[in-house]
């Protein structure tokens, strides 16, 4: 089998997605997601100008060698743009391998470890009451795990909830430059315990609760938060602090038993090596798209398993349905799967373009049994929604200091 063409398609059905289509002389093709939020065109150019020309004519079945060629072979290894380009290509190659074998991807990985993939949904609102109203609806819809986020009194906008009450997921293409949000640790600590106290009171003890701090706290503040929330029994506390200095998580760990999750911005196994090896975290949240595809995620999952760390792949709306499908296969297989973030099936336009057939029932996803990833992409429909430049927000402290978003 030979690769005859690699197409890179950037479309914006409500938000931007970079899709790779690898076409072969056998009639089989594979699909991959290479979306890097706010830097989409950098990956598209990398793929078109630097990666695709080296792969045309190669055997798409040699996934491992192609992965090494694009990783070791480039000299400038790692980095978000390179690893997202590799992630998209790798996914498409596994899609082809599955189609050639007539098997869904999870079978190629080793088969099922579970009947379905447990999902967590998002509840956000302008105050505790509104957030818990949203959470209740999700519980009624069958979800067993909910991420709880609320606006902070006195701050115009914060992660997940902004001033005009549209969340940042909907801002793509609507603002010419990055919007700015404000952060105050003092004000956050003034509301966060009440949010979880009320959540337990209204939702009961069975539902799993999660929370994303989006890197806003220092390690000692995270330690304090973890301790404060221990009695509300969180499934995990996500991105409490930035961990460029992986050792800094020791500070959090030595103070609290609240389980910790991190990794959505990580690109290689090296980014989480110390965190995993020293058991400083409980869930690793890397995504197939940003961490080098199925080939890399399989290694990360096995590595994490040795240290009792579970995988909980990133599932934000900026990962396309192709990545969602890849994660469902990985999660169906991985013995150390924890939970999958899930934000719905995307806009109507999105569902017109990406045709997937996994099923969701009682807060669980059931992977497609079709060969490969089990997803299709309508190129003609995608043409209707061209790329729109857009940015994620930035965050500042009340005195104007630029802070982590
Ligand atoms: C978030 C993301 O889903 C999450 O956990 O942290 O929404 C994140 O902000 C975006 O994916 C950024 O691209
Ligand atoms: Mg997050």
């Amino acid at each position: 089998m030979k690769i005859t063409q690699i197409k890179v398609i950037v479309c914006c059905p409500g938000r931007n997605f970079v899709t790779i289509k690898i076409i072969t002389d056998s009639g089989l093709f594979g699909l991959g997601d290479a979306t890097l939020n706010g830097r989409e065109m950098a990956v598209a150019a990398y793929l078109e100008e630097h990666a695709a020309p080296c792969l045309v004519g190669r055997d798409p079945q040699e996934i491992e060698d192609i992965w090494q060629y694009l990783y070791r072979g480039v000299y400038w290894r790692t980095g978000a743009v390179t690893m997202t380009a590799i992630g998209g290509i790798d996914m498409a190659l596994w899609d082809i391998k599955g189609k050639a074998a007539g098997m869904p991807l999870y079978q190629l990985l080793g088969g099922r470890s579970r009947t379905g993939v447990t999902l967590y949904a998002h509840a956000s609102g302008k105050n505790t009451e509104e957030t818990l109203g949203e959470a209740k609806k999700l519980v009624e819809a069958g979800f067993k795990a909910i991420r709880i986020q609320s606006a902070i009194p006195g701050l115009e906008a914060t992660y997940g909830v902004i001033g005009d009450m549209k969340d940042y997921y909907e801002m793509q293409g609507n603002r010419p430059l990055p919007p700015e949000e404000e952060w105050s640790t003092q004000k956050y600590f003034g509301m966060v315990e009440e949010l979880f106290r009320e959540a337990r009171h209204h939702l009961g003890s069975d539902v799993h609760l999660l929370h994303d701090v989006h890197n806003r706290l220092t390690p000692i503040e995270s330690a304090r938060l973890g301790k404060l929330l221990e009695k509300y029994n969180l499934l995990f506390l996500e991105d409490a602090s930035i961990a460029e200095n992986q050792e800094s998580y020791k500070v959090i760990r030595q103070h609290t038993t609240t389980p910790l999750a991190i990794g959505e911005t990580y690109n290689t196994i090296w980014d989480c090596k110390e965190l995993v090896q020293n058991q400083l975290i409980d869930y690793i949240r890397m995504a197939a798209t940003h961490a080098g595809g199925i080939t890399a995620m399989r290694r990360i999952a096995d590595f994490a398993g040795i240290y009792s760390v579970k995988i909980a792949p990133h599932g934000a709306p900026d990962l396309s349905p192709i990545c969602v499908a890849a994660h469902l296969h990985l999660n169906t297989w991985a013995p150390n799967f924890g939970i999958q973030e899930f934000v719905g099936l995307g806009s109507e336009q999105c569902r017109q373009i990406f045709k997937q057939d996994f099923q969701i029932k009682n807060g669980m996803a059931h992977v497609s049994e079709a060969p490969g990833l089990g997803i299709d992409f309508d190129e003609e429909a995608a043409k209707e929604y061209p790329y729109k430049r857009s940015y994620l927000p930035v965050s500042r402290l009340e005195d104007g200091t630029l802070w982590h978003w």
Side-chain angles (χ1 to χ4, degrees):
M1 209 192 294
K2 277 195 169 28
I3 295 174
T4 52
Q5 196 189 359
I6 299 184
K7 288 188 177 174
V8 182
I9 304 133
V10 187
C11 64
C12 186
R15 63 168 316 111
N16 292 316
F17 292 119
V18 180
T19 302
I20 300 177
K21 184 168 183 177
I22 300 187
I23 299 167
T24 70
D25 60 357
S26 68
L28 297 177
F29 68 87
L31 296 169
D33 174 33
T35 308
L36 186 61
N37 202 0
R39 293 293 183 271
E40 296 86 356
M41 300 313 269
V43 183
Y46 188 104
L47 283 162
E48 272 169 353
E49 187 56 31
H50 306 296
C54 309
L55 301 183
V56 172
R58 290 212 46 178
D59 182 350
Q61 296 170 109
E62 293 174 3
I63 299 179
E64 190 60 56
D65 189 67
I66 291 176
W67 197 95
Q68 298 296 339
Y69 186 86
L70 293 173
Y71 179 81
R72 273 181 213 212
V74 296
Y75 189 57
W76 311 109
R77 39 211 270 172
T78 81
V81 173
T82 298
M83 296 313 291
T84 303
I86 297 179
I89 286 175
D90 184 82
M91 241 180 253
L93 295 176
W94 279 100
D95 191 22
I96 293 170
K97 199 177 268 305
K99 286 172 178 166
M103 285 185 201
L105 174 65
Y106 77 84
Q107 292 289 12
L108 300 182
L109 294 171
R112 261 178 204 288
S113 289
R114 56 192 53 79
T115 52
V117 171
T118 304
L119 306 170
Y120 73 87
H122 288 192
S124 307
K126 62 173 181 285
N127 51 38
T128 299
E129 199 189 335
E130 194 178 280
T131 300
L132 297 184
E134 290 303 307
K136 269 201 167 145
K137 285 188 217 156
L138 292 165
V139 171
E140 276 156 23
F143 287 98
K144 310 275 186 283
I146 321 278
R147 190 188 85 165
I148 305 269
Q149 306 293 137
S150 167
I152 300 170
L155 294 184
E156 272 258 312
T158 190
Y159 167 70
V161 193
I162 62 164
D164 58 10
M165 293 318 297
K166 275 179 168 291
D167 78 8
Y168 67 96
Y169 296 143
E170 296 169 58
M171 299 200 309
Q172 283 248 332
N174 296 333
R175 310 198 181 203
L177 289 171
E180 298 208 353
E181 298 181 346
E182 222 182 7
W183 178 256
S184 156
T185 298
Q186 183 71 9
K187 291 188 168 121
Y188 172 68
F189 270 102
M191 57 72 78
V192 67
E193 189 179 0
E194 185 214 56
L195 177 64
F196 282 90
R197 192 190 318 117
E198 292 300 303
R200 275 292 168 228
H201 181 67
H202 286 95
L203 304 172
S205 57
D206 277 0
V207 59
H208 293 292
L209 299 179
L210 304 93
H211 184 56
D212 189 351
V213 188
H214 233 252
N215 305 309
R216 302 289 165 81
L217 302 179
T218 64
I220 197 66
E221 289 164 354
S222 298
R224 191 173 141 218
L225 177 66
K227 233 170 155 173
L228 193 68
L229 299 183
E230 262 167 32
K231 51 183 171 299
Y232 307 110
N233 192 21
L234 265 61
L235 183 96
F236 66 58
L237 182 63
E238 178 189 341
D239 286 348
S241 298
I242 212 92
E244 282 159 346
N245 174 10
Q246 297 185 34
E247 243 187 74
S248 69
Y249 261 57
K250 280 187 192 157
V251 175
I252 312 176
R253 200 56 152 180
Q254 71 194 359
H255 290 291
T256 179
T257 55
T258 293
L260 303 172
I262 199 166
E264 66 182 42
T265 60
Y266 293 0
N267 308 125
T268 74
I269 200 163
W270 302 104
D271 295 335
C272 66
K273 178 177 171 280
E274 268 129 68
L275 290 167
V276 169
Q277 210 168 257
N278 297 320
Q279 294 180 293
L280 300 178
I281 56 168
D282 303 280
Y283 294 85
I284 181 72
R285 293 193 16 88
M286 289 159 81
T289 297
H290 303 132
I294 314 277
T295 298
M297 288 289 276
R298 195 182 46 168
R299 290 195 185 108
I300 289 159
D302 280 339
F303 169 61
I306 300 173
Y307 300 96
S308 304
V309 174
K310 294 181 180 178
I311 62 162
H314 190 201
D318 47 286
L319 294 152
S320 94
I322 301 173
C323 180
V324 174
H327 286 168
L328 293 185
H329 286 281
L330 280 158
N331 297 337
T332 299
W333 153 73
N336 55 328
F337 164 67
I339 196 155
Q340 176 63 56
E341 180 180 25
F342 180 69
V343 290
L345 297 171
S347 63
E348 202 184 311
Q349 305 99 298
C350 184
R351 278 175 278 141
Q352 234 180 295
I353 297 172
F354 298 93
K355 308 246 170 22
Q356 111 288 321
D357 71 348
F358 62 85
Q359 304 297 316
I360 293 171
K361 246 201 320 216
N362 290 327
M364 272 195 167
H366 300 274
V367 74
S368 166
E369 290 295 333
L373 292 173
I375 187 147
D376 213 348
F377 180 78
D378 185 334
E379 282 182 67
E380 286 311 305
K383 283 185 190 147
E384 303 287 314
Y385 307 101
Y387 166 75
K388 287 186 188 168
R389 180 167 54 231
S390 97
Y391 296 92
L392 284 164
V394 298
S395 183
R396 289 187 188 275
L397 302 182
E398 288 169 296
D399 70 356
T401 308
L402 197 87
W403 198 234
H404 308 291
W405 182 67

